[in-house]
Amino acid sequence: MVLRCLCDAIFTIFADVALPPRTPCMKATLQYARDKFRLFNGLYFSSELPEPTFALSAARTYLGQFSCRRSRRWLLGWAVPSDFTIRLSVRYDLSERELQSVLLHEMIHFYIAYKGIRDTSAHGRVFRSMMDALNTRHGWSITISSRGRGLRPAAASQTRRRLVLALTTTDGRYWLSVVNPGYRAAIDRKARAAATVSSHVWIETDDSFFCDFPAVRSLRGRKVERETFLRVTGGRL
């Protein structure tokens, strides 16, 4: 009886202090970049920007990069920008919102260069003013830095196999968690003993759905919709 009460208390932690809702990971594609560029160009830049060349890279040092050539017109005395390129790194796991913020960061650079606007530095007063306007008025989270420091490489996370615990609870909810393999036995015992657990199953998968799940050492996880649960488990349970 004491063991059952203890396990029920542990599972209450699983249900009430669950992992944060997941943010799906994605990598940029050239078509995705073009589509979002056209959308944002119309929404935020009055469709004034010509479509640049898009390129994907596996760069470690940046998430996005804008570049252009400047050819000087000697008779007129000014440099004219051309050959606009926006590069997006596919090295790191980003949410769609983060990826869109990176693209907007580079589009601000593009606008400043295309319009020939003088700024105090690469991320000077003009850049910051445009960035702050997009963040404040439209709810974006564009930042000055677009470096990949501290982010998880996408290739490593997407090819790694994970140990997943899928379970249902007596209140009709569905849960998924990635488990540290060294704690499988202990967590399995707790799941079997918990009165609030209807059923559970273990799965090994390399599904990128789990790319942002931490590997837990206790009985906790994320609540998911039934459709997601059935897809991940292949209809088991």
Side-chain angles (χ1 to χ4, degrees):
M1 182 66 180
V2 174
L3 177 60
R4 172 56 60 86
C5 292
L6 175 60
C7 292
D8 287 349
I10 292 173
F11 191 75
T12 298
I13 295 176
F14 179 94
D16 295 339
V17 190
L19 303 176
R22 78 180 304 273
T23 303
C25 305
M26 68 174 298
K27 292 196 293 186
T29 64
L30 293 177
Q31 188 59 52
Y32 181 87
R34 293 188 191 101
D35 291 344
K36 293 305 176 183
F37 175 88
R38 293 164 186 166
L39 174 65
F40 296 154
N41 194 20
L43 288 174
Y44 308 130
F45 300 92
S46 303
S47 298
E48 296 184 58
L49 298 176
E51 187 159 313
T53 298
F54 287 98
L56 304 178
S57 83
R60 295 172 178 267
T61 56
Y62 64 79
L63 300 178
Q65 184 184 75
F66 168 76
S67 63
C68 65
R69 294 180 57 188
R70 293 183 181 274
S71 54
R72 185 170 296 279
R73 292 186 178 177
W74 295 104
L75 293 178
L76 299 177
W78 64 69
V80 178
S82 62
D83 296 339
F84 306 107
T85 301
I86 290 178
R87 292 180 175 83
L88 298 173
S89 175
V90 294
R91 181 176 180 80
Y92 299 102
D93 279 330
L94 297 176
S95 69
E96 183 172 18
R97 190 72 171 179
E98 290 169 333
L99 179 56
Q100 292 173 357
S101 293
V102 171
L103 177 58
L104 282 168
H105 177 116
E106 305 312 323
M107 290 180 71
I108 296 174
H109 283 305
F110 188 178
Y111 185 88
I112 292 172
Y114 182 69
K115 291 293 186 178
I117 300 171
R118 291 182 177 272
D119 205 351
T120 54
S121 65
H123 297 108
R125 293 177 182 175
V126 176
F127 182 96
R128 290 171 184 265
S129 176
M130 295 181 67
M131 179 186 73
D132 291 343
L134 286 172
N135 289 343
T136 302
R137 298 174 190 172
H138 303 286
W140 290 99
S141 301
I142 307 166
T143 61
I144 292 297
S145 174
S146 61
R147 297 182 179 277
R149 185 179 304 164
L151 294 175
R152 177 173 45 202
S157 65
Q158 290 181 350
T159 58
R160 197 184 80 208
R161 292 190 67 80
R162 300 173 177 85
L163 177 64
V164 172
L165 172 63
L167 60 78
T168 60
T169 48
T170 53
D171 57 5
R173 292 189 288 182
Y174 300 85
W175 302 85
L176 295 171
S177 64
V178 172
V179 174
N180 183 314
Y183 291 79
R184 172 174 177 163
I187 292 176
D188 188 76
R189 286 194 297 270
K190 292 173 183 176
R192 290 178 182 278
T196 44
V197 175
S198 299
S199 58
H200 74 284
V201 64
W202 292 94
I203 302 166
E204 289 190 10
T205 179
D206 57 5
D207 192 333
S208 62
F209 175 85
F210 296 100
C211 67
D212 68 337
F213 277 61
V216 301
R217 300 181 180 184
S218 59
L219 192 58
R220 58 196 183 101
R222 288 178 179 159
K223 185 174 67 172
V224 298
E225 297 297 325
R226 181 175 183 273
E227 293 75 15
T228 301
F229 186 90
L230 292 177
R231 182 190 69 79
V232 169
T233 62
R236 298 162 71 183
L237 297 183

